[in-house]
Amino acid sequence: MKVTIVGAGNVGATCADVISYRGIASEVVLLDIKEGFAEGKALDITQCATNTGFNTKVSGVTNDYSKTAGSDVVVITSGIPRKPGMTREELIGINAGIVKTVAENVLKYSPDTIIVVVSNPMDTMTYLALKATGLPKNRIIGMGGALDSSRFRTYLSLALDKPANDISAMVIGGHGDTTMIPLTRLASYNGIPVSQFLSEEVLQKVAADTMVGGATLTSLLGTSAWYAPGASVAYLVDSILNDQKKMIACSVFVEGEYGQNDICIGVPCIIGKNGIEEIVDIHLNDQEKALFAKSADAVRSMNDALKSILV
């Protein structure tokens, strides 16, 4: 199985490292426009093999899409990262042209690939990739919900003082500081609702911390986070390549699901060898439905900025 990661920055390189270390794919190609950058990252990862025991072939190329031919999955991380004080939405004008060009180039050499979009603003870039390529919606996946849900589980773990891997929790809605919806009502610790252990006040703080999880790290690091985003991409790719049928919140094109149309937004999906294999319809209460509708409106308004690019 072959995975191409376009963009060898912090997120792309971390994704390549996790995929290689865990043996998720037999081959990983890192591609970047900066001369020698992807080659250097690939060589550095490869030199870990003897100490960590992986056998994945990792290579790097400078803007040569022919080396990506036959990729089962292509991950797009290209674009500028957020800087302190910058919202994901402010990246639209800069990153849209990059993502559109990358998607078109990878399909020249891997026409049957599944594309995973990481570039921000992620829901809008996923929508752009779908509309620009004309691919069926199951083959264009926005990663954001996997990352947001991992942050949600982490903050619940800290509040509960229990292992994060014992906690089940999901974030739906747009991948933005004001648009994501941590589903506190449905979160559980080993099958028991977390509301039995945490007060409503604490749960609301957990939800608020989750929503600004990316911005918090950006303010601390001076740039976007990379370890958790890279690992979240690898988690998603693993479910695709190994047909694991995991339920993961992903940004996907909706056609009536959750009462929305013609946008890409985070909803629970079954992820397997065909990409998005099913959108899972979970019962939302009236408050959650209202929040989802508000989130969808915000995502839809951001898509308006793409009109000139998609003409």
Side-chain angles (χ1 to χ4, degrees):
M1 293 291 187
K2 181 176 180 177
V3 176
T4 286
I5 301 167
V6 182
N10 289 334
V11 174
T14 300
C15 177
D17 186 47
V18 175
I19 288 174
S20 302
Y21 179 74
R22 292 184 55 203
I24 292 170
S26 57
E27 181 179 359
V28 174
V29 177
L30 270 170
L31 184 148
D32 203 277
I33 60 171
K34 183 178 179 181
E35 185 71 36
F37 191 60
E39 291 88 338
K41 291 288 185 77
L43 181 59
D44 195 14
I45 292 170
T46 298
Q47 289 172 354
C48 297
T50 55
N51 293 323
T52 57
F54 71 79
N55 297 304
T56 303
K57 177 185 176 182
V58 186
S59 61
V61 296
T62 301
N63 220 29
D64 182 0
Y65 283 88
S66 69
K67 303 297 185 183
T68 72
S71 295
D72 298 283
V73 176
V74 172
V75 177
I76 302 177
T77 72
S78 305
I80 66 165
R82 280 204 291 175
K83 296 179 175 62
M86 179 183 284
T87 66
R88 292 180 176 94
E89 291 77 11
E90 290 174 309
L91 301 177
I92 291 177
I94 301 170
N95 288 349
I98 297 172
V99 170
K100 182 174 183 289
T101 300
V102 168
E104 291 170 345
N105 281 331
V106 296
L107 287 173
K108 292 177 184 177
Y109 298 96
S110 303
D112 298 320
T113 196
I114 292 169
I115 295 176
V116 175
V117 179
V118 182
S119 307
N120 276 317
M122 191 271 309
D123 299 293
T124 302
M125 294 301 104
T126 304
Y127 183 83
L128 170 68
L130 180 77
K131 293 297 184 178
T133 61
L135 290 179
K137 71 177 189 178
N138 63 296
R139 289 173 54 195
I140 302 286
I141 307 172
M143 179 280 299
L147 171 61
D148 297 334
S149 297
S150 73
R151 287 173 172 161
F152 186 25
R153 292 171 66 192
T154 297
Y155 284 118
L156 284 169
S157 170
L158 294 172
L160 288 163
D161 193 25
K162 298 293 188 297
N165 286 328
D166 283 350
I167 297 168
S168 177
M170 182 179 294
V171 175
I172 61 172
H175 180 58
D177 300 348
T178 61
T179 56
M180 66 179 74
I181 305 163
L183 293 173
T184 54
R185 180 178 62 88
L186 300 179
S188 63
Y189 166 58
N190 277 336
I192 303 171
V194 295
S195 57
Q196 292 193 25
F197 305 97
L198 301 174
S199 68
E200 182 61 25
E201 181 181 2
V202 171
L203 283 174
Q204 290 306 309
K205 184 179 186 305
V206 166
D209 289 344
T210 299
M211 293 175 72
V212 296
T216 299
L217 286 163
T218 299
S219 66
L220 291 170
L221 297 168
T223 187
S224 297
W226 58 90
Y227 292 123
S232 296
V233 180
Y235 179 76
L236 181 59
V237 170
D238 192 11
S239 194
I240 296 169
L241 293 184
N242 294 298
D243 197 25
Q244 293 175 338
K245 314 289 189 188
K246 289 177 180 174
M247 185 189 297
I248 305 173
C250 297
S251 185
V252 62
F253 188 72
V254 289
E255 298 173 289
E257 296 92 350
Y258 291 86
Q260 300 299 324
N261 284 283
D262 196 34
I263 57 170
C264 290
I265 193 168
V267 291
C269 299
I270 303 300
I271 306 297
K273 64 181 179 180
N274 298 309
I276 302 288
E277 302 208 341
E278 179 186 350
I279 294 176
V280 180
D281 184 12
I282 57 176
H283 177 72
L284 302 181
N285 63 27
D286 290 342
Q287 181 184 17
E288 292 158 350
K289 287 178 182 178
L291 288 171
F292 193 87
K294 182 179 178 181
S295 177
D297 287 343
V299 170
R300 189 174 287 106
S301 68
M302 284 194 292
N303 291 349
D304 291 341
L306 297 175
K307 290 179 179 177
S308 61
I309 298 170
L310 291 171
V311 171

